[in-house]
């Protein structure tokens, strides 16, 4: 039997898909229902207003959105924070500026790593024997 401590409350529980104990799962579902009911009544709300009105942390609301449990398609003011800088976004995990900075950093890292690799001369590849047979 796999046991673990609940990351939310610290109780010992039998591991499950949600990776939470049963009381925390029930609490999380109650928070979800509260958010959904508030959003049905107040479509123009933003994430801060939703958090203030329901007393549910922005982190949990963001989790509901990212899991696809709360749709922001019909909520024009609903945005959640970028995981890197905290700028409010409507899709993905990062804002455009963080995404472009990451791409640039990765491109630079690839360029820096490329000269470190020895260049292969023709005829030294894995298919050298096959290539010589064609000559």
């Amino acid at each position: 039997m796999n046991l673990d401590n609940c990351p939310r409350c610290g109780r010992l529980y039998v591991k499950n898909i949600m990776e939470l104990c049963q009381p925390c799962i029930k609490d999380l579902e109650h928070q979800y229902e509260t958010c959904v009911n508030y959003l049905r009544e107040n479509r123009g709300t933003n994430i801060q207003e939703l958090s203030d009105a329901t007393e549910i942390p922005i982190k949990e609301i963001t989790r509901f959105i990212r899991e696809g449990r709360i749709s922001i398609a019909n909520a024009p003011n609903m945005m959640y924070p970028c995981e890197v800088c905290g700028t409010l976004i409507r899709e993905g995990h990062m804002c455009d500026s963080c995404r472009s900075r990451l791409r640039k950093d990765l491109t630079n890292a690839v360029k820096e790593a490329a000269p470190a690799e020895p260049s292969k001369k023709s005829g030294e590849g894995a298919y050298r024997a096959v290539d010589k047979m064609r000559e």
Side-chain angles (χ1 to χ4, degrees), residues 35-89:
C35 285
V36 169
N37 291 336
Y38 186 84
L39 284 172
R40 281 187 189 131
E41 296 170 8
N42 305 287
R43 291 198 185 271
T45 191
N46 64 37
I47 198 163
Q48 185 64 51
E49 292 169 353
L50 177 60
S51 177
D52 292 343
T54 59
E55 297 180 355
I56 297 170
I58 290 176
K59 183 179 176 182
E60 289 299 329
I61 298 169
T62 301
R63 182 174 161 193
F64 295 146
I65 294 169
R66 286 205 174 111
E67 288 175 350
R69 296 180 75 189
I70 292 179
S71 173
I72 61 172
N74 295 327
N77 297 331
M78 185 62 69
M79 294 186 278
Y80 54 93
C82 166
E83 287 184 1
V84 178
C85 68
T87 301
L88 294 177
I89 56 176

Side-chain angles (χ1 to χ4, degrees), residues 17-30:
I17 294 173
M18 296 282 290
E19 296 185 357
L20 296 170
C21 67
Q22 287 301 317
C24 286
I25 291 173
K26 288 180 183 176
D27 183 47
L28 197 63
E29 289 304 311
H30 177 69

Side-chain angles (χ1 to χ4, degrees), residues 5-13 19-25:
N5 287 57
C6 179
R8 289 183 80 196
C9 69
R11 287 185 189 113
L12 193 63
Y13 74 103
E19 296 185 357
L20 296 170
C21 67
Q22 287 301 317
C24 286
I25 291 173

Side-chain angles (χ1 to χ4, degrees), residues 101-112:
R101 188 170 62 240
L102 179 63
R103 275 193 200 115
K104 187 175 101 181
D105 290 347
L106 286 172
T107 303
N108 290 339
V110 167
K111 286 179 183 176
E112 290 174 6

Side-chain angles (χ1 to χ4, degrees), residues 110 112-120:
V110 167
E112 290 174 6
E117 295 177 16
S119 61
K120 292 188 176 186

